[in-house]
Amino acid sequence: PFADHKAVGIQWSSKVSYETWFGLNVEFIHCIQMLPFTPITEELLPESWITEEYNVLEEAYGREEPPLSEEWKGYIIMAHAIIDPHTAYSDALELSRYDDGNTKSNTLYWIATRPGMGGLAKEKI
């Protein structure tokens, strides 16, 4: 099942689980593996993996219960920036809240510095 989900939530000494200690939401399982988003994160999240993984991660957008929080949505948008920075930038501008470990400036900086973004981000600010 882990190949289908593209991630493991917890690796124990004798098993692996598709969950976290704080919940089963897909965004928890995937995004906790990405944190924190800093300049070196681009070395840890190759475009090829995000391309595969994003199809699983975006399931959180369509889930009714529990609804996707703005805080975790921010991390999904930051991951999406690796494969589609222009859409991610527009999506980030719509966020109303950020996780305690993230900020609007960090989110926009991360997205604006993705390859392929160019100077277009400056025009939308």
Side-chain angles (χ1 to χ4, degrees):
F2 301 107
D4 294 338
H5 296 299
K6 308 298 179 193
V8 170
I10 302 173
Q11 180 177 344
W12 305 88
S13 62
S14 61
K15 72 173 188 169
V16 293
S17 301
Y18 188 68
E19 62 184 315
T20 67
W21 61 268
F22 53 89
L24 299 172
N25 296 3
V26 66
E27 66 272 21
F28 299 167
I29 297 164
H30 289 257
C31 294
I32 197 68
Q33 309 297 336
M34 301 174 186
L35 299 178
F37 278 87
T38 66
I40 195 63
T41 304
E42 66 188 9
E43 298 298 324
L44 305 174
L45 301 175
E47 183 178 348
S48 59
W49 182 69
I50 294 295
T51 299
E52 286 184 44
E53 185 262 353
Y54 188 73
N55 292 327
V56 175
L57 186 54
E58 71 179 343
E59 292 172 8
Y61 284 109
R63 186 184 64 233
E64 291 183 26
E65 290 297 326
L68 176 62
S69 73
E70 286 286 291
E71 294 84 355
W72 285 96
K73 185 178 182 181
Y75 293 127
I76 295 173
I77 290 170
M78 293 173 85
H80 192 210
I82 294 169
I83 56 176
D84 187 355
H86 295 282
T87 299
Y89 197 88
S90 295
D91 291 346
L93 292 174
E94 301 295 320
L95 288 169
S96 60
R97 290 184 313 281
Y98 296 85
D99 184 65
D100 291 343
N102 197 20
T103 62
K104 182 175 185 176
S105 60
N106 185 58
T107 300
L108 296 179
Y109 174 82
W110 166 262
I111 297 169
T113 58
R114 296 307 87 219
M117 192 61 183
L120 296 178
K122 294 176 186 172
E123 296 171 12
K124 294 183 179 184
I125 294 177

